[in-house]
Amino acid sequence: MKRVDDFRLRFGNNEYVPIMVGGMGVDISTSELALETARLGGIGHISDAMVEDVSDRRFDTSFVKDKTKLYKFNINNSDKSVVQFDLERLAEAQRLHIGKTMEAKKGPGLIFVNCMEKLTMNGPRETLRTRLNAALDAGIDGITLSAGLHFGSFALMADHPRFREAKLGIIVSSVRALQIFLRKNAKLDRLPDFIIVEGPLAGGHLGFGMDWAEYDLMTITKELLAYLKNENLDIPLIAAGGIFTGSDAVSFLEAGAAGVQVATRFTITNECGLPAKVKQEYIRATEDDIIVNGVSPTGYPMRMLKNTPAIGAGIRPGCESYGYLLDATGNCAYINSYNREVAAHPELKVVSVMDKTCLCTHMRNFNCWTCGHYTYRLKDTTHKKADGDYQLLSAEHVFKDYQFSVDNQIALPEKEV
């Protein structure tokens, strides 16, 4: 019976344990989690979502405070088009977060950064260009392009001296999405170094509509593998979304995937950035507690716990401080919903907004509890303590359980004394 450790993910002449830990923002996939993954020989992700806030918390910088002060005059204005990111400061935050992570890296693995296209930041092209190139400046091993089609993203990096050195990959959920990406980037003569196929059971934003349940990761994986073979494209394919055990992973590796990307089981590790009380909410969740809704201003469906505090919260848009989801005209779907409810209920000091949420503020405060479909199974991976809480795990324990387990078994940790 094969184990994940019987396979290797190959980039050129180098081999890695075929386990990627996905990039969960905001700072849920911490540097510590990525570093531990790399130490163990796999590939860890950090996320650059709201990187200025992440920098402030980690390095005592003042990016958010300074931006809030600069645009304080606009806080009560529903028109947010004036709120812009200082590209030099954005690059500084990106280089700081990634650079410090890379300086601390030990072990044979790699560290990638997850970059979302839907972080449009009232300047979609220029802010993404800044983030991508600053990541390369800081020495990141690779970049995973996520949450969007990224048709022009390779071109934004094409002049960088590390454009053909760093590992660059794309997340897709269908053959069609990959075909369009490859066609749009054909003139650059630069194929992606890896492709992550993310299925409908993944956490957070989904690359499907509300009909997500009609799709199946293994089916999509096999379709993509057949397409790559027919096109004579030797690009490693990484399967992601709902891979809960080492045996789950082996089934995709035996089908031809080069590796797997996992995240849900790492949300309850000590290295994960979620607050301890939120980790307990994840472990306690039942299957009925996990929902897919349309509250994200990005327009993508999003999977989360149904008791997440972000749902229905009618806080004032925090664009002057954050504004990561402002489109090229300075608009965000949450602003529209918030203003609608304020106008409809002028007598209320605090309104309830059910159809959208202020994703920036709630993600920054860890009040948007996005999760994978199998989060309800986390309680089966650990021990319940006498006080009713559950024992948290180490990233090493979870990684090695994926790497060495067989027969759908899950290794429980030693009980804490």
Side-chain angles (χ1 to χ4, degrees):
M1 188 172 294
K2 288 192 174 183
R3 306 173 301 175
V4 169
D5 197 55
D6 295 321
F7 301 84
R8 284 297 178 267
L9 170 59
R10 294 177 177 85
F11 287 132
N13 296 323
N14 298 319
E15 295 186 348
Y16 306 92
V17 179
I19 298 172
M20 282 186 175
V21 177
M24 299 174 282
V26 173
D27 207 28
I28 297 172
S29 287
T30 60
S31 296
E32 292 76 16
L33 180 54
L35 288 165
E36 189 67 351
T37 304
R39 182 184 71 82
L40 295 167
I43 299 174
H45 275 91
I46 56 177
S47 168
D48 78 339
M50 297 183 69
V51 68
E52 292 187 354
D53 182 74
V54 173
S55 174
D56 287 352
R57 283 186 285 184
R58 286 184 167 268
F59 311 116
D60 200 27
T61 51
S62 60
F63 294 113
V64 175
K65 180 180 178 181
D66 294 345
K67 184 168 180 279
T68 305
K69 183 177 180 181
L70 180 64
Y71 292 111
K72 185 178 179 180
F73 70 90
N74 199 65
I75 286 176
N76 293 318
N77 188 356
S78 60
D79 181 356
K80 305 298 183 182
S81 58
V82 69
V83 180
Q84 300 284 334
F85 280 83
D86 183 318
L87 296 182
E88 291 185 8
R89 302 207 80 194
L90 176 61
E92 181 184 350
Q94 186 84 319
R95 286 192 291 262
L96 186 58
H97 180 40
I98 293 173
K100 291 293 186 182
T101 304
M102 298 308 295
E103 287 173 13
K105 178 186 159 188
K106 297 176 181 177
L110 299 174
I111 294 178
F112 291 176
V113 61
N114 182 290
C115 292
M116 297 170 59
E117 186 181 48
K118 284 296 184 180
L119 293 180
T120 41
M121 302 166 67
N122 203 358
R125 182 177 178 85
E126 290 310 312
T127 54
L128 183 57
R129 183 200 302 274
T130 297
R131 289 158 52 209
L132 294 172
N133 285 280
L136 295 174
D137 290 342
I140 196 72
D141 289 322
I143 298 175
T144 297
L145 303 173
S146 68
L149 298 174
H150 286 279
F151 295 150
S153 297
F154 270 25
L156 299 178
M157 299 179 277
D159 293 333
H160 197 282
R162 297 192 63 229
F163 176 59
R164 298 183 186 277
E165 170 197 332
K167 305 303 178 189
L168 306 179
I170 178 76
I171 296 180
V172 299
S173 295
S174 68
V175 171
R176 182 175 178 273
L178 177 60
Q179 288 173 323
I180 298 173
F181 175 83
L182 294 175
R183 185 169 69 248
K184 293 286 186 180
N185 289 280
K187 63 181 180 181
L188 295 174
D189 191 30
R190 171 53 161 108
L191 290 171
D193 296 290
F194 62 97
I195 300 160
I196 298 175
V197 50
E198 192 170 83
L201 303 185
H205 289 106
L206 304 180
F208 301 86
M210 292 305 289
D211 61 346
W212 58 270
E214 299 177 13
Y215 297 88
D216 170 70
L217 176 59
M218 182 63 80
T219 300
I220 303 169
T221 298
K222 290 180 176 179
E223 290 171 352
L224 278 159
L225 287 168
Y227 170 75
L228 293 172
K229 182 178 181 180
N230 290 339
E231 297 295 321
N232 294 312
L233 295 173
D234 185 19
I235 304 173
L237 187 68
I238 316 297
I243 299 171
F244 199 78
T245 68
S247 298
D248 292 339
V250 166
S251 66
F252 286 94
L253 296 168
E254 289 184 323
V260 295
Q261 178 172 279
V262 292
T264 293
R265 288 186 59 190
F266 288 90
T267 60
I268 61 167
T269 61
N270 296 313
E271 292 84 353
C272 172
L274 287 170
K277 65 178 182 179
V278 179
K279 293 174 184 178
Q280 296 298 326
E281 294 285 348
Y282 278 51
I283 302 173
R284 292 190 184 99
T286 67
E287 187 171 6
D288 289 340
D289 291 329
I290 297 165
I291 60 173
V292 176
N293 60 33
V295 301
S296 171
T298 65
Y300 283 111
M302 192 160 61
R303 177 173 281 112
M304 62 181 65
L305 299 185
K306 70 180 181 182
N307 63 329
T308 183
I311 299 175
I315 61 173
R316 185 174 61 191
C319 307
E320 285 69 28
S321 298
Y322 308 119
Y324 284 82
L325 294 181
L326 293 175
D327 64 19
T329 65
N331 193 34
C332 168
Y334 176 72
I335 298 173
N336 297 335
S337 295
Y338 174 81
N339 289 338
R340 180 197 67 221
E341 293 304 318
V342 169
H345 304 283
E347 74 285 0
L348 298 180
K349 290 184 178 180
V350 179
V351 296
S352 177
V353 183
M354 295 302 301
D355 58 319
K356 296 297 174 187
T357 191
C358 188
L359 198 58
C360 293
T361 302
H362 288 303
M363 290 297 290
R364 182 256 180 257
N365 292 329
F366 299 106
N367 282 331
C368 190
W369 299 344
T370 60
C371 65
H373 176 77
Y374 288 122
T375 294
Y376 67 90
R377 295 174 61 185
L378 287 174
K379 60 180 65 66
D380 299 327
T381 70
T382 188
H383 302 289
K384 191 172 185 178
K385 299 188 294 185
D387 64 2
D389 279 351
Y390 288 82
Q391 182 176 327
L392 300 182
L393 310 173
S394 71
E396 180 177 11
H397 171 83
V398 177
F399 187 95
K400 288 185 174 179
D401 186 45
Y402 271 112
Q403 186 176 1
F404 297 112
S405 66
V406 295
D407 198 27
N408 281 307
Q409 296 178 358
I410 293 174
L412 296 177
E414 289 188 14
K415 282 189 176 182
E416 294 177 349
V417 178

